[in-house]
Amino acid sequence: MGILFSEHEGIHREALFCDESEDFRFPAEPEIGDIVTIRFRTAHNNVDMVSLVEDDTDIEIDMLLAESDEIFDYFETQIKVEEKAVRYYFEVKKGDTSCYYNRLGPVNSTWSGFSFCITPGFHTPLWAQGALMYQIYVDRFRNGDYSNDVVDNEYIYIGTPVEKVKDWDEKIAPMDVGRFYGGDLQGILDKLDYLHSLWVEVIYLSPIFVSPSNHKYDCQDYEHVDPHYGVIVKDGGRLVGDNDTNNDNAERYRIRTTSKENLEASDAFFAKFVEEAHKRGMRVILDGVFNHCGSFNKWLDRERIYEKSLDVYESGAYVSKDSPYHSFFKFYNDNGWPYNSEYDGWWGHGTLPKLNYQLSENPEEASGVEEYVLNIARKWVSPPYNADGWRLDVAADLGNSQEDNHRFWKRFRKAVKEANPDAVILAEHYGDPLPWLDGTEWDSVMNYDAFMEPVSWFLTGMEKHSDHEEPNLFGDGAAFFNAMRYNMVHMQTSSVYAAMNELSNHDHSRFLTRTNRRCGRLADRGSEAAEKGVNYGLFRAGVVIQMTWPGSPTIYYGDEAGVCGWTDPDNRRTYPWGREDHELIEFHRYMTGIHMRIPALRRGSVKELVKKKNTIAYGRFQKNSRALIVVSTSSEPSLVEIPAWQIGFQDGDKLERIMKTSEIGYNVGAVRYQIHNGIVKVELEPYGAAVLTNGWDLN
């Protein structure tokens, strides 16, 4: 054995390890009353004592040596979980020296914000932890039913008649929200087998409820699927004129979106869609926009769509002061009716009226809109629809105060989990999510701070919109790990495993475009510039990290086919059916297969191994499953020495390289490596990456 630790040297900090995975804490997500075993790893024969220290009480529990191998000693203790969360860290002693260990790793001093935490009863759905997700912007994925397409001049949206784009491959316009390409649920249904071939486990849909925009983040009716995405059985009526400024003449739109026949048929089609996804072992997550709605919304009805509907609807709060939805919005002019336009809009936008979750004078009485939204939350995760969870848009903005916000999300979690205990709740959030991840509100987040941004800075030196560059962060391995480590500690580990790890999405530039390392937007650079100078080596390296880092890798539709694009709206280009980059798709299939077939990549521990200029390497390990990942941003070939012993590899162990990427391509031919003196040496080509493992799970 090549790794020996002298009893005369100090504490070997690189050998110290603990996390909240099931290998080091079991059960990993305990209930009240459970006895929890906690394990801590040190170098073999290297320390005198390890103590677990509880934050709140400063009680020190000496841990006992439970197991040893040729490299490590494992110390254990047990604690009983009560109702209150337990925060703890470790003190490691050898002679007169000592150090502490918390979620940041070995440290010289402690702070409770970085302690390990047991939250009794907090569970994120097991299926969501490490699940492979696929995000679809519905209007741009595939048109499967031309009869439900928005037609030219169907209605007025933001002062302009809407437009049906006739050419699926037409470039995105700078003002895009009222232009429709025709993607729908039938189009996705037709391609479920394609998604299954990518190993997709979860489909995350952009909003599908009735809405006038192509993005549908300005909901018109939360209770029904938009017939433009579903089924139109009742049709006809006048269109608006080119010079119309309102929707008085929008008869066809009114019929399509308010007739019960269309709404019920579309809801039934969605239930069928989910059923077909479930048959293939895929789950479906819906996008919930509950902070604000749209000015078309039937609760407000500023466009007077429902006031003039042939079907009977209650008066909207814009139309009448006596509307049952009056309290759903905050009005500033009590004498403004009928047609009161002085209401609170999100960020001042009248087209995005903010929903009023403010408590009434009775502290125990929730706002009127709250009960409606909770019923909507229950409805779509219950039979016959059976969606598998919610992604929550701008979730931290909901309500008029932090008190309102947290109170509502606690009620939301209770409502959703009672309706469907296995449903997942994921929130869009920038910054520290810790206040919402205490086990009573969200399960996890879209992982901007602890994935998208660190990966983007390291591989491209670009921020996620392609608006700004920091060349000094390009290839900075230490900055990459520091950012990852610092931001991951703001989530409990089960939340980390369920976090959506995206390289691109509907709000940020396409990652392939970001690899050109140029700032720009559609309006000032044009669409062609987004496709120039891209670096496929850096792109493939990003996919390698995405499929091997803790969390749920989430592919934004078309990334796997080579779609480029600046930030919104250019990132919402159509899927290039018939023009796909098939080699890139096949590369994704290999990488998604690797993610699915190596158990350590789903819920295993992670440890940084190499961090230097232009190079990172890290290990994932779990019981008998281990993988090494190494990435280079250098324009020159490189040789990387990886201390494989730190994740349990011993001298003589054989590893198999199962993926090697570079600027010009990728190679999946198996190449054997052997550990010598605890080190494995890996050669990388320019802008290259590699994945090595000790074995595959073929089941």
Side-chain angles (χ1 to χ4, degrees):
M1 182 62 205
I3 301 298
L4 296 174
F5 304 107
S6 169
E7 63 182 29
H8 301 295
E9 62 184 353
I11 297 171
H12 202 298
R13 293 192 171 205
E14 291 180 327
L16 302 180
F17 191 82
C18 184
D19 65 7
E20 296 171 335
S21 71
E22 58 191 5
D23 281 2
F24 291 88
R25 185 171 82 194
F26 43 95
E29 298 179 4
E31 301 286 352
I32 296 171
D34 281 353
I35 303 297
V36 180
T37 300
I38 297 173
R39 173 172 278 212
F40 188 88
R41 191 190 82 179
T42 72
H44 184 46
N45 288 333
N46 180 245
V47 307
D48 297 330
M49 181 179 293
V50 178
S51 301
L52 181 149
V53 185
E54 293 188 13
D55 263 356
D56 294 337
T57 63
D58 289 330
I59 293 175
E60 293 191 22
I61 304 171
D62 292 341
M63 304 178 72
L64 300 177
L65 180 63
E67 185 181 347
S68 297
D69 58 31
E70 294 185 64
I71 309 177
F72 302 117
D73 290 336
Y74 296 90
F75 292 80
E76 283 185 2
T77 192
Q78 292 184 327
I79 59 175
K80 184 176 181 179
V81 176
E82 307 294 347
E83 293 186 12
K84 188 178 179 181
V86 180
R87 298 186 181 277
Y88 59 95
Y89 59 91
F90 302 92
E91 184 175 8
V92 183
K93 299 177 182 178
K94 180 176 184 178
D96 296 331
T97 64
S98 66
C99 74
Y100 302 98
Y101 193 98
N102 59 22
R103 291 190 69 194
L104 293 177
V107 292
N108 294 322
S109 60
T110 64
W111 181 54
S112 61
F114 300 123
S115 293
F116 297 95
C117 181
I118 297 174
T119 303
F122 177 34
H123 303 280
T124 62
L126 192 61
W127 63 263
Q129 297 182 26
L132 181 66
M133 300 188 183
Y134 191 91
Q135 178 186 353
I136 296 178
Y137 192 91
V138 179
D139 184 60
R140 307 296 161 81
F141 184 68
R142 186 174 186 273
N143 191 342
D145 180 359
Y146 290 90
S147 71
N148 63 13
D149 291 358
V150 171
V151 300
D152 288 342
N153 289 58
E154 187 173 322
Y155 54 98
I156 302 293
Y157 181 69
I158 314 184
T160 304
V162 295
E163 174 188 353
K164 161 62 181 174
V165 180
K166 310 301 188 296
D167 180 2
W168 182 258
D169 297 325
E170 183 176 318
K171 298 295 187 181
I172 302 300
M175 184 57 182
D176 179 65
V177 291
R179 302 173 76 247
F180 296 84
Y181 284 73
D184 50 32
L185 291 175
Q186 181 64 58
I188 305 171
L189 183 63
D190 293 340
K191 291 297 181 180
L192 286 182
D193 289 337
Y194 164 71
L195 299 180
H196 190 258
S197 78
L198 287 173
W199 301 76
V200 169
E201 297 176 280
V202 183
I203 300 169
Y204 154 42
L205 299 173
S206 62
I208 62 170
F209 306 119
V210 182
S211 161
S213 65
N214 61 44
H215 56 68
K216 301 200 181 302
Y217 285 97
D218 50 354
C219 189
Q220 178 174 323
D221 185 349
Y222 293 99
E223 296 180 84
H224 298 288
V225 170
D226 196 317
H228 296 97
Y229 283 177
V231 180
I232 295 176
V233 294
K234 184 177 180 180
D235 209 355
R238 283 184 300 173
L239 303 174
V240 300
D242 289 338
N243 297 320
D244 283 354
T245 58
N246 59 45
N247 282 301
D248 288 350
N249 296 321
E251 289 183 358
R252 185 172 301 184
Y253 182 73
R254 188 173 293 112
I255 291 169
R256 285 180 160 196
T257 62
T258 71
S259 69
K260 302 299 184 183
E261 296 96 323
N262 291 337
L263 298 174
E264 291 170 359
S266 296
D267 294 349
F269 187 85
F270 175 69
K272 172 189 173 184
F273 171 84
V274 175
E275 182 181 0
E276 289 299 321
H278 285 174
K279 286 179 181 177
R280 293 163 174 80
M282 293 187 284
R283 297 176 185 260
V284 178
I285 294 176
L286 295 175
D287 209 324
V289 189
F290 302 129
N291 166 69
H292 58 274
C293 59
S295 57
F296 280 66
N297 190 277
K298 67 181 181 182
W299 297 334
L300 186 72
D301 200 21
R302 178 167 176 164
E303 299 294 325
R304 302 174 66 186
I305 298 294
Y306 294 89
E307 182 186 13
K308 299 180 179 183
S309 173
L310 297 177
D311 289 75
V312 178
Y313 287 88
E314 299 275 9
S315 295
Y318 167 83
V319 175
S320 171
K321 187 175 182 178
D322 297 326
S323 167
Y325 312 121
H326 180 114
S327 67
F328 289 21
F329 308 94
K330 183 177 181 181
F331 288 92
Y332 297 116
N333 181 2
D334 200 44
N335 299 310
W337 284 276
Y339 313 126
N340 190 341
S341 61
E342 296 184 46
Y343 54 82
D344 185 23
W346 186 51
W347 290 91
H349 296 294
T351 57
L352 300 174
K354 188 170 173 64
L355 296 173
N356 181 26
Y357 292 88
Q358 191 168 7
L359 286 171
S360 68
E361 293 180 0
N362 180 356
E364 300 302 320
E365 182 181 336
S367 63
V369 71
E370 193 162 311
E371 296 306 320
Y372 271 79
V373 170
L374 293 178
N375 284 334
I376 289 160
R378 296 183 188 100
K379 171 181 177 175
W380 295 106
V381 299
S382 302
Y385 309 108
N386 297 314
D388 299 287
W390 290 98
R391 177 266 189 189
L392 306 172
D393 188 63
V394 293
D397 286 10
L398 180 140
N400 296 305
S401 68
Q402 285 297 295
E403 178 188 10
D404 287 343
N405 184 279
H406 287 293
R407 177 185 51 77
F408 174 77
W409 290 127
K410 284 176 169 59
R411 295 196 71 205
F412 184 91
R413 181 182 185 86
K414 185 173 185 292
V416 169
K417 298 292 185 176
E418 286 178 351
N420 182 349
D422 217 21
V424 71
I425 300 172
L426 299 166
E428 177 191 26
H429 186 68
Y430 299 84
D432 183 3
L434 185 61
W436 292 270
L437 295 179
D438 66 351
T440 65
E441 300 182 42
W442 310 335
D443 284 320
S444 193
V445 294
M446 300 181 77
N447 205 4
Y448 293 124
D449 289 18
F451 186 78
M452 182 187 281
E453 288 192 336
V455 172
S456 187
W457 288 123
F458 174 69
L459 289 178
T460 72
M462 304 292 297
E463 63 85 46
K464 54 189 177 293
H465 286 286
S466 291
D467 282 343
H468 176 65
E469 61 178 327
E470 290 286 350
N472 59 304
L473 290 177
F474 173 63
D476 188 333
F480 170 84
F481 282 121
N482 289 341
M484 285 292 202
R485 186 168 57 249
Y486 176 81
N487 289 297
M488 287 170 72
V489 301
H490 293 284
M491 294 183 275
Q492 298 187 58
T493 295
S494 60
S495 294
V496 171
Y497 289 152
M500 296 173 71
N501 287 353
E502 296 183 293
L503 296 170
S504 317
N505 65 21
H506 64 291
D507 284 326
H508 306 97
S509 59
R510 292 274 183 170
F511 183 69
L512 183 54
T513 287
R514 238 174 290 150
T515 67
N516 68 15
R517 306 184 61 205
R518 298 171 186 168
C519 296
R521 289 205 172 205
L522 178 62
D524 57 42
R525 295 293 298 272
S527 59
E528 290 77 12
E531 304 164 12
K532 302 296 184 183
V534 298
N535 186 313
Y536 284 93
L538 294 174
F539 178 79
R540 278 185 279 265
V543 176
V544 167
I545 297 175
Q546 182 182 41
M547 296 300 159
T548 59
W549 193 259
S552 295
T554 305
I555 300 171
Y556 185 43
Y557 79 101
D559 267 11
E560 79 279 14
V563 175
C564 293
W566 302 113
T567 196
D568 171 18
D570 197 35
N571 52 20
R572 301 169 182 181
R573 299 183 185 190
T574 53
Y575 188 100
W577 300 110
R579 300 181 294 106
E580 307 96 319
D581 184 330
H582 289 285
E583 181 177 313
L584 210 55
I585 291 174
E586 197 62 21
F587 166 71
H588 275 80
R589 284 199 180 102
Y590 276 113
M591 283 309 308
T592 55
I594 286 170
H595 173 79
M596 296 294 292
R597 295 164 66 189
I598 299 177
L601 298 182
R602 192 171 191 112
R603 297 176 65 232
S605 302
V606 62
K607 193 174 194 307
E608 61 187 65
L609 300 174
V610 176
K611 54 180 181 182
K612 59 183 182 179
K613 185 61 179 174
N614 292 325
T615 307
I616 58 170
Y618 53 93
R620 299 292 307 277
F621 55 106
Q622 179 190 53
K623 296 175 182 167
N624 297 320
S625 174
R626 298 183 182 89
L628 294 172
I629 300 90
V630 56
V631 177
S632 171
T633 60
S634 175
S635 60
E636 301 293 331
S638 56
L639 176 66
V640 185
E641 296 188 0
I642 306 173
W645 66 268
Q646 291 187 27
I647 65 167
F649 282 117
Q650 301 184 14
D651 276 13
D653 283 350
K654 291 181 172 59
L655 288 78
E656 186 174 311
R657 192 196 71 200
I658 55 176
M659 174 61 71
K660 182 182 79 167
T661 72
S662 71
E663 190 174 14
I664 60 173
Y666 66 97
N667 189 311
V668 293
V671 176
R672 293 293 182 91
Y673 289 78
Q674 189 163 327
I675 308 296
H676 181 65
N677 289 335
I679 303 293
V680 61
K681 298 180 180 181
V682 180
E683 294 182 351
L684 292 179
E685 296 179 27
Y687 306 114
V691 181
L692 293 78
T693 185
N694 66 332
W696 293 71
D697 178 7
L698 299 176
N699 296 317

